[in-house]
Amino acid sequence: MKLYSFFNSSASYRVRIALALKGIDYQTVGVNIRIGQQNAQAYRRMNPTGLVPTLVTDDGEALGQSLAIIDWLDRHFPQSRLLPDSDPARSRILEIVYAIACDIHPVNNLRVLRYLSEELNISDEAKKRWYAHWIQQGLTAVEQLLQESQSESYCVGNTPTLADCCLIPQWANALRMECDLSAYPRCKAVYDACTQLPAFIAAAPENQQDKLSA
Ligand SMILES: N[C@@H](CCC(=O)N[C@@H](CS)C(=O)NCC(=O)O)C(=O)O
């Protein structure tokens, strides 16, 4: 299998965590989104959204969208299930997943931030405020969801799930953007616990072969 990925793309990081938790071997193909490689024709033929990641399976099928990829992995490699079939865990996990992947991540994506500065002439300082605002809105909700799920080392229950695959990359991005994260102790506890685990360490941006220095 091949994963078309960028080292500090949080959507790629979600899939890398899932692959590592399941112990699946794969090859990384770096797509440098800072210089627009996600928009190259050959890449867009595989993934019409022009976003990373894309998983190419051993049968040559190209699949985009991190959550769809993880769902595919979870059905084809059922070891270490990331999304259980039964409620209430399943719906609690998905509630957290969508709060991150649908409500926080898209408004803070690279192409949105670039549009703010390049098309709307928003200053770097205002762009930082934009980013921090959506982090604050989103993580306030996630913190409350973690309170409801009585999270400890993981968002829901006592093994890593799809919710952790989404929270850890989003938190790492917020740290990189220097957001104030002091109001989310449950999110922090999950981040601190998960990032000690070998699978999360293997998936981390700083441990990717396509890592860039800046
Ligand atoms: N919903 C997509 C989001 C993918 C996404 O936004 N990827 C970002 C990196 S985290 C990207 O490729 N950005 C390139 C751009 O904004 O041009 C998924 O979950 O796979």
Side-chain angles (χ1 to χ4, degrees):
M1 264 189 294
K2 283 187 186 162
L3 183 69
Y4 289 75
S5 157
F6 184 60
F7 76 104
N8 70 6
S9 139
S10 56
S12 304
Y13 190 179
R14 291 173 196 157
V15 174
R16 294 196 302 259
I17 295 169
L19 286 161
L21 284 169
K22 288 175 177 291
I24 302 170
D25 257 352
Y26 67 99
Q27 187 188 330
T28 299
V29 183
V31 179
N32 185 341
I33 62 175
R34 289 189 193 151
I35 59 168
Q37 289 181 340
Q38 72 277 26
N39 294 313
Q41 259 187 14
Y43 183 76
R44 275 191 177 263
R45 266 198 295 278
M46 280 192 311
N47 186 334
T49 66
L51 298 167
V52 290
T54 301
L55 182 81
V56 177
T57 70
D58 288 340
D59 297 332
E61 294 289 330
L63 185 58
Q65 293 294 338
S66 59
L67 301 184
I69 295 170
I70 297 173
D71 174 61
W72 185 90
L73 291 171
D74 219 21
R75 285 180 296 106
H76 288 79
F77 300 87
Q79 65 272 26
S80 307
R81 281 298 298 275
L82 298 171
L83 189 60
D85 291 325
S86 52
D87 283 326
R90 183 184 175 87
S91 25
R92 285 294 168 215
I93 292 165
L94 286 176
E95 197 179 11
I96 296 165
V97 166
Y98 296 148
I100 297 167
C102 304
D103 299 344
I104 303 177
H105 180 268
V107 286
N108 280 345
N109 198 1
L110 179 64
R111 62 185 177 181
V112 171
L113 300 179
R114 282 208 170 139
Y115 191 84
L116 290 176
S117 35
E118 290 167 15
E119 299 293 326
L120 303 180
N121 297 316
I122 302 281
S123 68
D124 282 354
E125 199 207 315
K127 199 171 67 174
K128 232 177 156 180
R129 273 178 52 206
W130 167 286
Y131 187 98
H133 174 77
W134 298 115
I135 284 290
Q136 185 265 327
Q137 295 268 310
L139 288 186
T140 300
V142 173
E143 184 71 14
Q144 200 174 320
L145 293 172
L146 295 192
Q147 169 81 39
E148 283 162 22
S149 68
Q150 290 298 295
S151 65
E152 288 182 6
S153 298
Y154 307 107
C155 291
V156 179
N158 50 19
T159 54
T161 69
L162 183 57
D164 305 295
C165 295
C166 290
L167 178 61
I168 277 40
Q170 188 61 69
W171 186 270
N173 260 11
L175 283 176
R176 187 159 51 86
M177 296 296 279
E178 300 172 334
C179 296
D180 176 5
L181 300 176
S182 54
Y184 321 111
R186 280 187 181 270
C187 293
K188 182 177 186 308
V190 170
Y191 179 80
D192 288 345
C194 285
T195 51
Q196 301 298 312
L197 301 178
F200 286 80
I201 294 171
E206 62 273 20
N207 295 326
Q208 303 314 302
Q209 65 191 39
D210 65 322
K211 178 179 184 302
L212 301 172
S213 47

